[in-house]
Amino acid sequence: GPEETPTLVELESILRSPLKNGYSARPVSHRTPFRVLTLTATTSGYFDDQQFKFTDEPFDQDSPFWLSPGDIVVQRGNTTEYVGVPALYEGEAGTFLYPDLMIRIQVQGAIDPRFVWYMLMAPQARQYLRERATGSAGNMPKINQQILYKLPVPVPDESSRSAIVEQLDKGLSLAAKVEARIASAQIALDRGPQAVLSRAFSVGLAA
């Protein structure tokens, strides 16, 4: 049959725009049209739209710091456990700005961002980023764009990707329940989902 091609590619090769760090605007205590996510908004691996601060620094509609549906944000700096955790933004465009401790990923149109998000949540990807995070004692470990660009992700053919997403949507639906998430911000890092994600990552490679 046709020659087997390895399906592990660098993240950089499936992006539609360069990675971009966010911007941490000065928080204010009154309501404004400008909501900036806090780090806790994505620590669980799922997006929590209750975790933000208002700022009165103005942002144009076309500011690059607004999140759009399908954007993935990765924690650039956090504890060893959470550095590199990805979350998929599925909210409205022009509603949330993302902070400096997150890096935004925008994948090419042909690839479902949900698939890439799942692959980035898998233990293989998490370990890759954790092992490369830098930080002196007492500082929070950080990853940079260079590390993220080189992150190996499996990209099988489209039907395999769809099948994996469908399986994971079913298999991880427990983790996606808001009650479960509130009960435990750790839910995405729990062993059950981790095993499921790890298998999916490997299936992506074998596909």
Side-chain angles (χ1 to χ4, degrees):
E3 238 177 87
E4 285 291 304
T5 50
T7 50
L8 209 51
V9 303
E10 291 182 353
L11 181 66
E12 185 167 19
S13 69
I14 58 168
L15 301 180
R16 74 163 192 273
S17 66
L19 295 172
K20 186 163 182 60
N21 291 10
Y23 173 76
S24 295
R26 183 184 61 247
V28 295
S29 52
H30 56 274
R31 281 185 76 92
T32 75
F34 307 110
R35 296 175 170 88
V36 185
L37 296 179
T38 58
L39 210 49
T40 44
T42 61
T43 308
S44 67
Y46 293 89
F47 182 77
D48 180 352
D49 65 6
Q50 300 304 303
Q51 306 294 325
F52 64 86
K53 294 187 169 127
F54 291 108
T55 182
D56 56 9
E57 292 186 44
F59 291 84
D60 293 340
Q61 273 176 308
D62 55 3
S63 165
F65 300 113
W66 291 112
L67 289 175
S68 300
D71 286 356
I72 298 166
V73 283
V74 168
Q75 304 229 335
R76 185 170 77 77
N78 206 325
T79 60
T80 309
E81 193 175 5
Y82 292 114
V83 69
V85 166
L88 177 65
Y89 181 66
E90 296 178 283
E92 308 267 317
T95 308
F96 290 101
L97 302 141
Y98 69 105
D100 176 52
L101 281 174
M102 295 182 192
I103 300 175
R104 186 192 59 208
I105 296 171
Q106 294 180 320
V107 299
Q108 291 165 9
I111 298 177
D112 181 356
R114 200 169 180 82
F115 171 79
V116 178
W117 168 56
Y118 278 139
M119 293 304 104
L120 294 182
M121 269 225 286
Q124 293 92 325
R126 303 270 307 101
Q127 186 182 348
Y128 180 92
L129 295 176
R130 259 203 309 268
E131 285 172 354
R132 285 158 185 78
T134 57
S136 51
N139 280 352
M140 63 163 75
K142 288 195 175 73
I143 55 168
N144 58 31
Q145 295 182 2
Q146 270 36 64
I147 293 169
L148 201 50
Y149 275 129
K150 299 277 174 257
L151 174 71
V153 283
V155 183
D157 60 63
E158 195 172 350
S159 61
S160 304
R161 295 198 304 266
S162 302
I164 288 171
V165 167
E166 203 177 319
Q167 265 182 322
L168 289 174
D169 280 348
K170 280 194 199 115
L172 297 181
S173 58
L174 163 74
K177 288 206 178 85
V178 173
E179 300 79 15
R181 277 180 10 226
I182 290 169
S184 163
Q186 289 270 35
I187 193 83
L189 305 173
D190 280 354
R191 270 183 228 95
Q194 287 287 282
V196 175
L197 286 162
S198 180
R199 267 200 306 282
F201 193 99
S202 308
V203 167
L205 282 177

